[in-house]
Every structure is written in C-alpha cells, then in structure tokens.
Amino acid sequence: MIAVFKREFLSYFRSPVGYIAIALFSFLSGYIFVNNFATGAVNIASEVISLRSFFVVIVPIITMGLFAEDKKRGTEILYYTSPIDLFSVVAGKFLAAFCLYGIMFVNVFIHMIVTKSCDGIVDIGAWGSVIVFFFLAMLFISIGIFASAITDSQIIAAIFSFIMIMVIQLLSTISSLAGNAIAAFLSMLGVASESSNSVGEAITNGINWLDPFAKTSDFRYGSFSVAPLVFCISFAIVFLFLTFRVLEKKRWAKS
Amino acid sequence: MIEINNLVKHYGDKKAVNGISFTVEDDEVLGFLGPNGAGKSTTMNIITGYLSSTSGTVKVNGHDILEEPELAKKDIGYLPELPPLYLDMTVLEYLNYICDIKQVKRSERKEQLAKIIAMVKITDVADRLIGNLSKGYKQRVGIAQALVGNPSILILDEPTVGLDPNQIIEIRKLIRTLAKDHSVIISSHILSEIQEVCDRVVIINKGKVAAIDTITDLSKRLAGSSKLLLSFKGDAKKIMNEIRSLPGVSDCKIRISDKDIHEAEITVTGNSASDIRTSIFYVMSRNSSPIMEFRSLDPTLEEIFLSITAGT
C-alpha cells in the first residue's frame, strides 16, 4: 500500500495535475478569504463551506487518472501479477489523492493564522467545518476513484465523477423536486391530497437521508456528532470496495 | 517448473483457450508459437495470474496460481506484450517501485538492482525518464522489471517485437544468458528467433496444443522424407537420370537452370540422407561435373509452423 501511495502521490508532482489542483484551490480559497477580509467579516467556517462546492471540479481532476491511466498504459498488469493485494492498491491510491487534498488545504490553515494575527476569531465552528470538509473529501475521492476504475479514458472518468458529485451536491434540491413531482402525480391520479403529500414528503426525506451535506450541517455551529462522520466513512468504504470488486472482476472477464 | 493442466478460458461463447496442457522444466527455454488469436497471450496471462482460467490448473513450482497466488507470483517475472512502464519515472525510480510492489527486502535491493541493471545493460540510462528512452531501451527496462525479485521463471510475450535488427540480436543474447539459470517461456512470431533460443516449442492453434516437441524432432516428424539441394555444372539430363536410378532416391528435379549451372532438388526416402550423399558424389565424379553447392534442405520452423497450423 505504501509503495502505491508513494508512487501515486509523487506522480501528481511529476505531471502538471498536482500543481494545477493546488493552484486552483489556492486561488479559490484565497479569493474567498480576501473577499471576506475586505468586508471585515472573516469567517473561516463559511470559507470552508464555500470551498466544498469546488469538490465537483477538483476531485475529478485529481482522481481521473488514478486507474484509467494505468489501464491505458498497460501498467495495471503489475498489480495483478505482483504478490500484492488489490485492495492495498486501491487504498494506496485513495490515500495519495487524500493527501494531495491535505496539501491544498494548507492554504486554509494559513488563512486561520492570518485571521488570528489580525485579532480575528477562529472558533469551534471553523474547526467543525474543517473536519467535515475532510470527511466529505474522503467520500468524493472514493467516488472519483471508482469512476476511474470503470473506464480506461480519463475524460470519461472525469465526466462520470463530475456528474456523481454534482448529483450529491444537489441532493436537497433533487429530493424536494422528486417529492413534489410524485405528490403532484399521485394527486393527479385522484389520491387524496393529504396522503399524496405525505408520500411526497416521505420520498423527499428518504432522498435527503443520503445527503452528506445536510447530515453534517450542525458541525459549523460547533455541534459535533459521530453518526454523520461514520456515514461519510461508510460511504467511502463502499465505493472503495466497489472499486476493488471492479478490479477483481477484470480477472474473471467474460469478454 | 510450471505445470499447466487442461487450461480452459471462455470469453462468452468463444473458447479462447481450450484444454491446453504442457510442462516447463527447470532451466528450459520453451518457445510458444501460434498464429494471431490462437490464445498465446491469454495463456500467458493466465499463467501469470493476470486472468483467471474458466477451468484447469496452473502450478508454479508446486504452488497453484489461484490457491497460493502470492507464492506462485513471486516465482514469475512477466514481460507483457506492452511493457508496463511508467513513462513519468526514471529507470531507477521505476525499478525501485517494482522492488516495493514485489516485496523485495530492503537489504537485498541495492545489490539485486545493480546486478539486473548491469545484466540488461541500462547503466547509462538509469537516471533518465523512461518516457524519453528509445524502444530498445524501454524493452530492456521491461525485462529488468521482470527480473526484479529474482524469479526462477520468466515469461516473455514477444520480447523483440518492433525492435531494429541490432536490438533484436542484443535481446536474444540477453535471453540466452538468462536461460542459464531461469526457466523461460517466449512467445514470438519471429520463428527464427524461437529456433535460435528455444529448447522445445509448443505450437498452439485455435486454443489447442497442435504440437509439443524439440525443433529437431519436429522437423524429422514432419519431413518423413528429407531433401537435398545440389548445384552442379555439366550435362543436366544425364546426371539427373543417373541420380534418379540410385536406390533411395524417389524424386529428382531441376529447380533452376542458369547457363551451365543447374540446381536440383533431390527427394530421398528412407531414413538416412547421409548414405545417399556418397553415391551422389561418385555420380558427379564419374561425370566429371563440378559440385558448386550441396546441402540438405531440412524444413525450417516456418515450414513446420505453416504445415501444422494450416491443417487444423
């Protein structure tokens, strides 16, 4: 696992990918921070929360090549023919992408120091958002890795993870749209409005249950709980396991 | 030693490999031949554990590739058709990475890499990016990769494809050096190469083994009758008749006649072509016609290959 991690992590800096991702993140976080700074209302928590909307761009950039490139170059054969466990390959690549995120995030820590040195406040809510940020990063990176494992084209991997992350980010909108649509459909069929509304509501709630953003929203107010974090980790593990299965399946390929 | 027993691989309805069995002894070089799509690469991929067989077993030094994959894979070095190279790494970084994933002990690493690098002659490019190397060097790095971890078995899938003649000779030399203390399986389209480096050949066709034998035995088996080539000066008609009347000669025909030099192809039935050569010499001597060239026409591997794969 460490070998794969080391290779993948260093390879971010052998190609422009790592630099582009870090530059992009620095620009975005710096832009948000400076904007807040100018108004005199620096809020690290809100900065971190705004940065979450860029997962959709940055995660596909850093994960698209992880497996797709190996397949295209034929180097994936090394994983299958070496006495190495396929899951440790997946874990190594995941860790590499996660650490790259850690390096990007140094920006935010610098902003915290600047805020502190200007007599600003870095409260528990800021730290709460930071924790949530990293758990969400885990979740989205695992989706990106899965996308990269199912295709040998980086572009398709990027598009696929972009769409998946987009859907998760819009989950609260999607859920209310779906709930309303179904309620409207049922009442059109002549179901009493009370019961059709409650079905719609149930569907909205059901989809909302999947929304990691809603689950972790209390962290920014300093109210921590374990369940949402477990949710994110489980989500990530499921996708990493699916990735592992995709790789394993290749061995038994029927075509 | 590799024992392959009744290997079958289905791709949907298509049987890519259909009941292949053979054994590779220790320190033997085995040529693996077959037309495109015969199942060569699939078989090699199964032996190395990249693909799983539908049924059948592969045992590497006694370890089943599916039941004890770690132990089996440790004994195999594989150079696939497309060498698995990371173009963004230097040769040394890459080989160190291979050491990592093949779990070579840190204490042995330096010595082993130095030996491999010297053996495949990549010392002067060790610090260069693999992406900037020529095809021949890339191929050598690929072979170096297969040698990491000191496996007793090497599997090389078309190791000389796309190389220039000098590079081909170099790689062949290298393979012969490696063959001294490794079992080697080589697949190739270049038959002369197989003829040159291999002890035995396995010819497969349509997923089945068409022949397993040493090259000399294969040619004998195929020949049934051997042929001699004779070029000479003198009266072609008279000499032909005399040769035809020799016991054991079944056919004799002129291939080319150029002014006064004639080239004849003599088909000899029976077991020994060597006896007839003496009599032919005396025929020529009696007629005082000078022999310009006289040699036996044993079938080349190309001919063996064609006749075996065409019939099935």
Side-chain angles (χ1 to χ4, degrees):
Chain A
M1 185 178 93
I2 292 165
V4 176
F5 163 71
K6 211 167 83 187
R7 201 215 92 78
E8 292 300 337
F9 187 69
L10 291 178
S11 89
Y12 278 132
F13 301 101
R14 294 195 184 102
S15 68
V17 172
Y19 298 104
I20 288 174
I22 291 174
L24 190 61
F25 193 88
S26 310
F27 171 75
L28 293 169
S29 61
Y31 181 79
I32 296 166
F33 179 70
V34 169
N35 256 359
N36 285 345
F37 209 81
T39 62
V42 176
N43 186 339
I44 295 292
S46 77
E47 178 188 332
V48 173
I49 284 165
S50 319
L51 284 171
R52 300 199 305 207
S53 35
F54 300 107
F55 276 129
V56 79
V57 182
I58 293 174
V59 168
I61 291 177
I62 66 174
T63 56
M64 63 183 182
L66 285 176
F67 281 105
E69 186 68 7
D70 269 336
K71 283 196 212 170
K72 214 173 101 196
R73 292 243 172 272
T75 40
E76 63 163 353
I77 212 161
L78 288 172
Y79 305 136
Y80 291 95
T81 58
S82 312
I84 185 177
D85 181 11
L86 278 180
F87 196 79
S88 66
V89 174
V90 178
K93 297 208 177 208
F94 171 79
L95 220 56
F98 190 67
C99 283
L100 184 61
Y101 243 104
I103 288 187
M104 291 187 238
F105 207 77
V106 167
N107 281 292
V108 176
F109 292 127
I110 293 171
H111 298 163
M112 283 180 173
I113 294 167
V114 173
T115 310
K116 270 285 190 196
S117 64
C118 299
D119 289 335
I121 299 167
V122 177
D123 58 359
I124 190 80
W127 289 108
S129 336
V130 170
I131 293 171
V132 167
F133 185 89
F134 276 105
F135 277 84
L136 290 174
M138 273 186 213
L139 195 162
F140 291 130
I141 288 169
S142 69
I143 290 175
I145 285 183
F146 174 71
S148 183
I150 54 176
T151 168
D152 53 7
S153 149
Q154 295 203 36
I155 302 294
I156 293 174
I159 292 172
F160 186 67
S161 53
F162 177 86
I163 291 171
M164 298 252 286
I165 295 168
M166 189 64 116
V167 165
I168 291 176
Q169 287 195 327
L170 296 176
L171 217 51
S172 58
T173 319
I174 292 171
S175 68
S176 58
L177 279 178
N180 290 341
I182 287 179
F185 179 69
L186 285 177
S187 63
M188 216 171 70
L189 291 178
V191 179
S193 72
E194 226 169 72
S195 50
S196 68
N197 281 344
S198 70
V199 169
E201 216 167 279
I203 284 168
T204 306
N205 290 337
I207 298 177
N208 273 342
W209 182 84
L210 285 171
D211 186 359
F213 292 101
K215 275 200 155 43
T216 52
S217 58
D218 285 344
F219 276 69
R220 69 176 299 186
Y221 306 115
S223 159
F224 296 0
S225 53
V226 178
L229 304 183
V230 173
F231 175 83
C232 289
I233 289 183
S234 322
F235 213 114
I237 289 176
V238 165
F239 271 95
L240 293 181
F241 184 71
L242 284 177
T243 309
F244 166 69
R245 295 300 297 174
V246 167
L247 297 179
E248 185 88 325
K249 187 177 156 267
K250 165 126 210 221
R251 209 172 267 193
W252 305 93
K254 291 257 164 61
S255 56
Chain B
M1 178 161 142
I2 306 180
E3 298 155 83
I4 293 156
N5 202 351
N6 212 3
L7 215 56
V8 178
K9 175 78 180 172
H10 293 244
Y11 284 130
D13 290 338
K14 198 178 162 279
K15 283 184 179 173
V17 173
N18 190 2
I20 286 184
S21 311
F22 61 88
T23 311
V24 189
E25 304 293 339
D26 287 335
D27 301 344
E28 178 189 42
V29 184
L30 184 87
F32 201 50
L33 289 170
N36 282 327
K40 289 189 305 269
S41 288
T42 308
T43 310
M44 290 187 145
N45 281 334
I46 294 172
I47 298 173
T48 53
Y50 179 40
L51 292 176
S52 289
S53 55
T54 311
S55 69
T57 56
V58 175
K59 278 193 178 168
V60 180
N61 291 335
H63 305 295
D64 190 291
I65 190 79
L66 288 180
E67 277 157 27
E68 302 171 285
E70 273 91 13
L71 289 172
K73 284 174 190 173
K74 267 195 174 153
D75 285 338
I76 295 183
Y78 183 32
L79 173 68
E81 225 171 321
L82 179 69
L85 305 174
Y86 286 105
L87 304 185
D88 57 354
M89 294 172 111
T90 69
V91 173
L92 216 52
E93 281 170 345
Y94 173 71
L95 291 177
N96 268 308
Y97 171 63
I98 301 292
C99 284
D100 278 338
I101 64 170
K102 288 198 175 172
Q103 294 154 4
V104 177
K105 285 197 194 96
R106 295 221 156 249
S107 52
E108 297 168 8
R109 190 168 295 188
K110 220 173 175 184
E111 195 187 341
Q112 197 182 106
L113 283 187
K115 207 175 114 195
I116 291 171
I117 286 174
M119 189 186 257
V120 301
K121 294 184 188 146
I122 47 174
T123 320
D124 40 340
V125 296
D127 292 320
R128 285 176 56 186
L129 279 183
I130 295 177
N132 296 340
L133 298 182
S134 69
K135 189 142 195 216
Y137 271 119
K138 279 184 188 157
Q139 198 71 18
R140 283 186 211 193
V141 176
I143 294 178
Q145 166 272 129
L147 287 170
V148 169
N150 224 348
S152 60
I153 293 157
L154 288 176
I155 298 183
L156 311 173
D157 198 351
E158 312 214 346
T160 58
V161 114
L163 301 183
D164 72 35
N166 276 328
Q167 294 169 329
I168 291 179
I169 291 168
E170 291 269 318
I171 297 271
R172 269 186 217 164
K173 251 191 227 163
L174 178 60
I175 292 170
R176 249 174 274 143
T177 328
L178 293 173
K180 280 176 199 149
D181 47 3
H182 293 84
S183 310
V184 185
I185 302 183
I186 302 177
S187 87
S188 180
H189 284 133
I190 306 163
L191 302 169
S192 57
E193 175 171 287
I194 297 276
Q195 204 156 14
E196 214 167 301
V197 298
C198 294
D199 305 319
R200 279 199 307 155
V201 286
V202 172
I203 300 181
I204 67 167
N205 193 26
K206 293 181 183 158
K208 287 186 171 160
V209 174
I212 309 181
D213 222 329
T214 60
I215 292 167
T216 27
D217 283 350
L218 268 182
S219 24
K220 265 188 207 156
R221 174 141 63 111
L222 191 81
S225 55
S226 35
K227 282 180 181 167
L228 296 168
L229 182 116
L230 174 71
S231 44
F232 60 94
K233 287 183 179 175
D235 185 352
K237 238 181 190 170
K238 184 169 174 250
I239 291 169
M240 284 290 105
N241 281 332
E242 278 188 45
I243 289 177
R244 269 191 210 111
S245 63
L246 288 173
V249 173
S250 68
D251 192 21
C252 181
K253 55 179 188 263
I254 296 282
R255 291 220 299 204
I256 309 163
S257 260
D258 180 24
K259 283 183 190 162
D260 50 357
I261 298 183
H262 312 288
E263 201 177 284
E265 191 183 298
I266 305 162
T267 310
V268 186
T269 46
N271 19 27
S272 54
S274 52
D275 292 342
I276 204 82
R277 280 183 287 193
T278 329
S279 334
I280 291 175
F281 170 77
Y282 285 122
V283 170
M284 305 310 286
S285 151
R286 266 201 307 280
N287 288 288
S288 352
S289 46
I291 296 175
M292 309 307 289
E293 193 184 353
F294 192 20
R295 62 186 163 91
S296 69
L297 283 174
D298 273 334
T300 59
L301 197 50
E302 266 90 352
E303 286 162 322
I304 299 174
F305 180 75
L306 283 176
S307 76
I308 286 176
T309 54
T312 45

